[in-house]
Amino acid sequence: MSGDDLLSIGVFALVSGLSIHALRHYDELGLLRPAVVDPVTGYRRYRPEQVRHARLICALRRVDVPIDAVRVVMDDPDGEALRTVLRSHRERLMDRAQVLSRMVHVVDHYIEHGVAMPDLKTPRIVQVTVTVADLAESISFYRAAFDAVFNEEISSFQFGAWPSEDFFLLTVAHELNEHGRHDGPAGVSRFGLLVDDVDAAHRRAVDAGAVEVHPPADQPWKPRSSCVTDPSGNRIDLYQG
């Protein structure tokens, strides 16, 4: 291809939808290399056929697909990688939307009732760690059963939003350490969740893949409750709020 067929970075930016700054950045990352870089001036020029790839990058970044995921698509732009990346990204966006929705709920509460933060007189459990056999299966189960949001950075399901009183972390141990053991508790764990409607929550958990230990029942010494196990065998007691 002759030099006359190449596009200047300004023209390429115009037809691709990417800014000149973004094109330079993606060059540095190795995501979208120019066809020619002048060794003296550093001026970048692109092939016309690169426009399609640039527009794909622009479309993916517009919906905040991470750079590493975009790179996977660029390695296989005409294969199944695009659908796989988009499905995964959609789940992340749904989790983020749930977190934001709960934050909005807390802000609405603050607007109506103020931001009163009473002193914590009695310690309250806000985190429990369980061992799971299959992380992806657990994420799918807790999302379907309890609308739990999984935070990859802290490897935890988040219930409620800090600093609301319903904030709670269910941390999962799923990777083996250097000794070939999980960092979480050995065997199965047991914990309880307070729910608005124990009968409805119980049915939803079973529909999501839980195994029923005992159905909802009334006891004289505690709220109406039931018990199920998650896909890894951990016991979940459901209590009527």
Side-chain angles (χ1 to χ4, degrees):
M1 176 179 291
S2 68
D4 293 338
D5 296 324
L6 297 176
L7 304 176
S8 69
I9 191 171
V11 172
F12 192 75
L14 183 64
V15 298
S16 68
L18 293 170
S19 68
I20 292 176
H21 173 78
L23 288 171
R24 289 171 176 161
H25 180 57
Y26 295 148
D27 178 16
E28 293 171 356
L29 294 177
L31 188 63
L32 183 62
R33 296 286 196 188
V36 174
V37 178
D38 189 292
V40 177
T41 65
Y43 198 72
R44 297 167 171 85
R45 294 169 70 83
Y46 296 81
R47 297 188 304 273
E49 54 266 32
Q50 289 182 281
V51 172
R52 176 175 172 271
H53 287 175
R55 287 177 175 171
L56 178 57
I57 293 172
C58 182
L60 294 176
R61 292 298 293 153
R62 187 178 294 126
V63 293
D64 205 25
V65 174
I67 291 293
D68 288 343
V70 174
R71 196 186 304 278
V72 171
V73 174
M74 298 309 295
D75 289 340
D76 184 27
D78 298 313
E80 184 62 23
L82 177 59
R83 287 184 177 273
T84 301
V85 164
L86 289 177
R87 290 190 189 103
S88 178
H89 185 57
R90 184 182 186 279
E91 290 188 4
R92 286 193 296 269
L93 291 177
M94 291 297 293
D95 287 344
R96 190 187 309 172
Q98 290 180 18
V99 171
L100 291 175
S101 177
R102 288 170 178 168
M103 287 184 178
V104 169
H105 178 74
V106 173
V107 170
D108 288 341
H109 179 82
Y110 288 166
I111 291 172
E112 184 175 353
H113 303 286
V115 192
M117 296 295 292
D119 294 335
L120 185 62
K121 296 180 175 62
T122 303
R124 180 174 71 86
I125 295 174
V126 295
Q127 183 177 16
V128 171
T129 300
V130 299
T131 300
V132 301
D134 187 315
L135 179 61
E137 183 181 39
S138 295
I139 292 174
S140 177
F141 168 73
Y142 281 98
R143 180 186 292 120
F146 305 111
D147 291 326
V149 176
F150 187 72
N151 187 325
E152 294 182 5
E153 294 184 4
I154 57 176
S155 193
S156 300
F157 295 100
Q158 181 174 329
F159 296 83
W162 175 258
S164 66
E165 293 183 357
D166 59 350
F167 175 76
F168 177 76
L169 293 179
L170 176 62
T171 301
V172 296
H174 60 94
E175 295 181 346
L176 299 179
N177 58 27
E178 58 184 3
H179 302 294
R181 298 190 297 269
H182 289 289
D183 289 327
V188 297
S189 300
R190 185 168 186 170
F191 62 95
L193 295 176
L194 200 63
V195 296
D196 291 334
D197 184 334
V198 69
D199 293 84
H202 182 92
R203 288 193 300 271
R204 183 176 177 183
V206 171
D207 289 343
V211 175
E212 181 179 81
V213 178
H214 67 74
D218 293 306
Q219 302 289 344
W221 54 276
K222 66 176 181 178
R224 182 173 177 80
S225 63
S226 71
C227 184
V228 298
T229 63
D230 72 6
S232 296
N234 297 298
R235 287 199 172 196
I236 308 169
D237 293 297
L238 301 174
Y239 294 99
Q240 181 69 47

